[in-house]
Amino acid sequence: MNAADVSIETIHHELTAFARRARASAGRLHPELSLVSYTLLGHLEDVGGCRATDLAAHYALDKSTVSRQVSALERAGLVERRADPQDHRVQVLHLTPAGKEILAQVTASRRVAFRERLAGWPEEDLERFAGYLLRYNAAAGGVMFRVAPASD
C-alpha cells in the first residue's frame, strides 16, 4: 500500500468511528431524537417546511424510511402536516413549537460537545477542518447536514 492508500484507509476508519459516535451520542442528548430525526428536524427548520418526498430526496433515503421517521416525529408532537397554500392536495411538514424547542436544546448540547472536543484546536485548524469536510461532502453530491450559524 502506498501513502495515499494508507491515508484513504485511515480516513475511512475515522469517518466510520465518527458516524458510530454520532449515532450513539444522539440518544444521550435527547432520548426521543435519533441522529436521523435530528437531521430531519434541522432541515425542516432550515427550509421552513417541506414534503416528506423532498426530505427523502434531499437525504437520499427511501421514502418508507422517511415515512417511519416522520410518523414517529408526529406522534412525539415535534412535526405537523399542513396543507400547501398553493396546492391543498399537498401536505407540507413543519416543526411544532415543541419540535423547535427540542431541536434548539439538542443543537446547543451538540455544540457544547463539539466545542469541548475541539477546545485545543487553533482557529485556523478549525477553519481548515470545516473546509475539508465541506469539500468532501460536496464531492459526494452536496452537504446533507445542516451548517449551524456562525454565531454563539
Side-chain angles (χ1 to χ4, degrees), residues 8-118:
I8 288 171
E9 285 302 312
T10 300
I11 290 167
H12 176 264
H13 175 70
E14 294 304 318
L15 286 175
T16 301
F18 175 83
R20 273 192 234 121
R21 266 194 320 278
R23 279 191 299 276
S25 70
R28 289 192 300 272
L29 294 173
H30 196 282
E32 292 177 43
L33 223 49
S34 70
L35 182 60
V36 172
S37 295
Y38 172 76
T39 57
L40 295 180
L41 290 177
H43 185 72
L44 289 174
E45 180 180 62
D46 290 345
V47 299
C50 68
R51 299 174 303 160
T53 54
D54 297 331
L55 285 172
H58 181 75
Y59 289 105
L61 294 170
D62 186 78
K63 290 177 188 175
S64 64
T65 300
V66 171
S67 178
R68 283 190 302 275
Q69 291 290 329
V70 167
S71 292
L73 291 170
E74 284 180 299
R75 282 191 305 276
L78 306 179
V79 169
E80 64 186 3
R81 294 176 190 266
R82 297 183 205 153
D84 185 332
Q86 278 83 26
D87 184 350
H88 292 289
R89 297 170 297 169
V90 175
Q91 295 289 306
V92 178
L93 301 168
H94 292 275
L95 294 181
T96 63
K100 290 178 184 179
E101 183 179 326
I102 285 177
L103 180 62
Q105 290 170 3
V106 173
T107 298
S109 295
R110 287 194 176 179
R111 192 170 289 143
V112 166
F114 271 96
R115 283 194 176 143
E116 288 173 357
R117 186 171 297 136
L118 300 169

